[in-house]
Amino acid sequence: MLYPRILVCLDVDHGRVVKGTRFRNLREVGDPVELAKRYEEEGADEIVFLDISASAEGRSTFLDTVRRTAEVLFIPLTVGGGVRTVADMDRLLRAGADKVSVNTAAVRNPGLLAEGARRFGSQCVVGSVDAARRGSAWIAYTHGGRTPTDLDAVAWAVEMVRRGAGEILLTSMDQDGVRTGYDLELTRAVAEAVGVPVIASGGAGTADHLYDAFTLGKASAALLAGILHDGLTTVGALKAELAARGIRVRTATPLRPPPPVTPDGAVVP
């Protein structure tokens, strides 16, 4: 059985974790390596590392920060931002990422998703959709939420999966940072349209919001950031509340050092 996952997002700008509201008014939160390790210890199922200024500045993701973050984790790490080619994907995976998230470059060149899936497997390719409501629909944005496209967000998510994405990271720009809940209508529309896991992102403020994302929104995972950065709750506390409401979640497994061994490799009793 697949358990709903809780992911923690680290939006990174020039090597530091930042957080804003609706992709604006960014404030510094801390060091990505330290925060990634802390959230893993608190029970996060995965870490998502997004270099939010890389695409807008036309540069690649900071590989050294990715490498240092990956070195301290035992849970999956997804990295996005500034990914333009299969070679970029390769460098990130070699630096320790388990999955690579693509947004702007995929809009410019949808074939990148298929190339990445063929080379590394669709399980490594995450289609990232930043969406904002326009009338009765949603449109997709690129360049870290700076540039609107003419793409319907739901239809674009379907196309990303058709091209090879094995997962959709769906962020509601309208709800981002406001802590009033995920855009359940958007999340459900995408979840019902694609045959891969959908990660709900943007708007988490309480355990109720996660519960709604998993039940009403039909999300496979929920992404968190601000309420954890500000110390309002922990992943462990949220999981306990979800479990009390009947949502089966993974429990954190304490990380223990390996047992001592003798020079010939035998475990010391």
Side-chain angles (χ1 to χ4, degrees):
M1 174 181 177
L2 295 178
Y3 289 80
R5 293 168 291 147
I6 296 181
L7 285 60
V8 179
C9 185
L10 304 180
D11 286 334
V12 180
D13 187 18
H14 297 91
R16 301 293 290 177
V17 177
V18 297
K19 190 68 185 82
T21 301
R22 295 180 175 136
F23 287 39
R24 298 293 184 269
N25 302 318
L26 301 179
R27 56 187 171 82
E28 186 174 312
V29 176
D31 177 74
V33 180
E34 294 175 0
L35 288 173
K37 183 63 175 175
R38 186 181 99 193
Y39 292 137
E40 178 184 53
E41 292 172 348
E42 291 180 357
D45 296 308
E46 298 183 25
I47 298 294
V48 177
F49 177 118
L50 299 177
D51 191 332
I52 61 172
S53 56
S55 291
E57 296 176 0
R59 60 171 173 79
S60 299
T61 305
F62 287 111
L63 287 177
D64 179 62
T65 307
V66 173
R67 190 173 294 110
R68 290 188 298 111
T69 304
E71 285 174 352
V72 304
L73 294 179
F74 291 89
I75 57 176
L77 172 65
T78 297
V79 180
V83 179
R84 295 184 291 276
T85 66
V86 171
D88 290 335
M89 293 182 178
D90 184 70
R91 280 189 286 269
L92 288 171
L93 293 170
R94 290 180 184 275
D98 298 283
K99 308 175 191 176
V100 178
S101 174
V102 185
N103 181 348
T104 301
V107 172
R108 291 175 173 172
N109 173 27
L112 176 61
L113 298 167
E115 292 177 50
R118 280 195 299 268
R119 176 92 177 263
F120 310 112
S122 61
Q123 78 284 349
C124 289
V125 181
V126 178
S128 179
V129 180
D130 294 335
R133 183 181 283 276
R134 291 295 180 270
S136 60
W138 299 266
I139 64 169
Y141 277 67
T142 60
H143 299 87
R146 295 172 176 85
T147 307
T149 71
D150 59 357
L151 295 170
D152 176 88
V154 178
W156 174 231
V158 172
E159 179 64 11
M160 294 184 98
V161 172
R162 190 185 74 80
R163 296 271 186 168
E167 196 166 32
I168 295 294
L169 171 54
L170 179 65
T171 302
S172 166
M173 295 175 58
D174 303 307
Q175 293 299 105
D176 179 68
V178 301
R179 302 179 185 177
T180 57
Y182 298 96
D183 186 330
L184 299 177
E185 186 180 354
L186 169 64
T187 304
R188 185 172 57 252
V190 173
E192 291 178 342
V194 302
V196 301
V198 172
I199 304 165
S201 171
T206 67
D208 287 342
H209 297 153
L210 276 71
Y211 179 86
D212 289 342
F214 294 140
T215 55
L216 302 178
K218 300 186 178 180
S220 299
L223 193 76
L224 307 174
I227 58 173
L228 302 178
H229 297 335
D230 291 343
L232 300 180
T233 187
T234 66
V235 176
L238 292 168
K239 284 189 170 184
E241 291 187 61
L242 289 170
R245 297 187 62 177
I247 299 292
R248 298 187 65 182
V249 292
R250 301 173 184 177
T251 56
T253 302
L255 299 176
R256 298 183 176 87
V261 297
T262 63
D264 61 358
V267 176
V268 176

